[in-house]
Amino acid sequence: MRKTPRFFSSRLDRVERRVYRAAVVFFLGVFCAVVWPIYPRFAGAEPRLLGIPLSFFYVIVFILLSFVALLLLFVWEGNRRDPDESGTDLEG
């Protein structure tokens, strides 16, 4: 029997819905920030920040922000265990 991920569960409480909704909005914002029409505003080879062109620096910042957001979501989910879970994913 496969378990449905909590993200798609119909048993989410209000806080979980808000956190997941904020994560979706954040990642949609990141997506919009690194594609046209926003990205071309930063797509020049000059100026340089930390020795790399602004266009690379801009993308690296959003990659790092996405990593931190996913890490925080992972830790938050780990701290909010489902009371129905037995603590193991093994079946037998």
Side-chain angles (χ1 to χ4, degrees):
M1 182 167 119
R2 285 202 154 177
K3 295 177 79 175
T4 304
R6 293 268 307 148
F7 187 78
F8 299 108
S9 176
S10 61
R11 298 179 289 130
L12 296 177
D13 64 17
R14 189 175 198 177
V15 173
E16 290 171 326
R17 276 194 214 110
R18 281 187 172 182
V19 169
Y20 290 134
R21 189 174 296 138
V24 168
V25 168
F26 172 78
F27 286 109
L28 284 174
V30 168
F31 173 76
C32 290
V34 296
V35 296
W36 183 86
I38 297 172
Y39 176 75
R41 297 172 194 237
F42 301 95
E46 295 293 329
R48 292 181 174 270
L49 296 171
L50 301 176
I52 57 176
L54 178 63
S55 59
F56 290 161
F57 185 79
Y58 181 78
V59 172
I60 289 170
V61 165
F62 279 105
I63 290 171
L64 292 176
L65 287 174
S66 298
F67 170 76
V68 169
L70 282 175
L71 183 64
L72 290 173
L73 186 62
F74 177 76
V75 170
W76 179 80
E77 281 184 335
N79 290 334
R80 292 183 60 91
R81 289 277 177 193
D82 187 7
D84 296 336
E85 289 180 3
S86 62
T88 181
D89 291 335
L90 300 176
E91 294 189 23

